Amino acid sequence: MLSRVLEPEVMDTLEEALDYDSMDHSEVNRTFVSDFLAAGAAPGKVVDLGTGTALIPIELVQQNRQFEVVAIEYSRNMLAVARQHLRELGLLDRIFLVRADAKRLPFPDEAFSLVMSNSLIHHLSDPLTCLVEADRVTAPGGLLFFRDLARPQSEEHLRQLVTQYAGEANAHQQQMFADSLRAALTVEEMAELVTRLGYPPTSVRMTSDRHWTWCARKPRF
């Protein structure tokens, strides 16, 4: 198994924001939203942690406008690109951008019945801090739905994934993807973290050849 190599927590340059946004995430985003809905996400208010350029909230609201999304992101340039998307699509009344650190959320306890996150955990040197915050703002009975890359077992496997899923991207985009794979947690590492929060390790599982998903309901008591 490859050792974890951290990358910066915040992708805060305009080049990074634009390169990330221009990559084809459409299939991954559609699958995320479909799986989120299949997990029992009923229409209402949801908080999205590490929203990036808000592509997943956009996909969610376009599928069902009964959702309202509070989209959390710390990168100013990511938020700028996201805000432009929302203006162009007329979604400023359904998706609300908030600049905040996912490790210190500006919300009261049990504020949301739906908490989702895609591709945030691999950016964090201490993912548990974010998970504790996510659990704190989730109401009893609420749904926690996190998905991220899983760290490959070898450099060869990593190169195969980069070729398969970013082979037509530019060099910077390929490097970003490779760095993200190296910074990702394994299923076992993520399962150990959620166990420390009181959730079963089996709530984390591989859901594609390169993603794990944590899906759990917060106990009501």
Side-chain angles (χ1 to χ4, degrees):
M1 177 60 66
L2 294 177
S3 298
R4 188 181 186 209
V5 180
L6 296 177
E7 61 178 355
E9 286 200 1
V10 181
M11 298 169 65
D12 207 22
T13 70
L14 183 58
E15 179 189 15
E16 287 174 323
L18 292 173
D19 266 355
Y20 173 83
D21 188 68
S22 66
M23 294 177 75
D24 185 6
H25 304 283
S26 56
E27 181 180 353
V28 168
N29 294 343
R30 281 194 300 270
T31 300
F32 182 100
V33 169
S34 295
D35 292 348
F36 180 60
L37 296 174
K45 182 174 283 189
V46 54
V47 64
D48 180 33
L49 306 182
T51 198
T53 58
L55 298 178
I56 283 180
I58 288 169
E59 179 70 29
L60 177 62
V61 170
Q62 287 181 328
Q63 287 196 28
N64 188 330
R65 289 189 70 94
Q66 294 182 63
F67 282 97
E68 287 187 7
V69 185
V70 178
I72 303 301
E73 175 59 46
Y74 199 69
S75 165
R76 296 182 189 276
N77 282 301
M78 288 285 192
L79 287 172
V81 176
R83 190 168 292 108
Q84 182 62 32
H85 286 327
L86 300 185
R87 287 196 192 100
E88 292 172 354
L89 295 169
L91 295 176
L92 287 167
D93 63 331
R94 309 308 300 167
I95 300 170
F96 306 94
L97 301 175
V98 177
R99 184 173 183 263
D101 187 341
K103 303 188 299 300
R104 292 183 293 275
L105 294 171
F107 307 117
D109 295 353
E110 303 178 359
F112 298 93
S113 60
L114 298 169
V115 178
M116 68 179 186
S117 180
N118 183 62
S119 296
L120 170 64
I121 294 299
H122 76 264
H123 283 284
L124 306 178
S125 59
D126 181 16
L128 183 61
T129 306
C130 172
L131 298 176
V132 168
E133 277 291 270
D135 183 62
R136 179 184 68 78
V137 302
T138 304
L143 178 67
L144 292 134
F145 192 88
F146 278 61
R147 179 167 290 170
D148 208 329
L149 295 168
R151 192 165 74 252
Q153 294 187 347
S154 66
E155 281 290 339
E156 180 182 1
H157 186 204
L158 186 150
R159 288 193 296 271
Q160 289 173 351
L161 290 173
V162 171
T163 299
Q164 182 172 355
Y165 294 107
E168 297 182 2
N170 65 43
H172 182 232
Q173 291 169 329
Q174 290 184 13
Q175 188 61 53
M176 289 168 61
F177 184 44
D179 290 346
S180 294
L181 287 167
R182 289 191 179 90
L185 300 184
T186 64
V187 167
E188 293 77 16
E189 290 166 344
M190 185 63 182
E192 193 275 331
L193 292 180
V194 304
T195 300
R196 290 167 66 178
L197 291 176
Y199 293 93
T202 53
S203 60
V204 182
R205 60 189 182 89
M206 286 294 292
T207 47
S208 83
D209 61 346
R210 63 199 186 284
H211 296 105
W212 53 253
T213 301
W214 175 43
C215 180
R217 290 278 178 183
K218 184 172 181 177
R220 293 186 179 275
F221 55 85

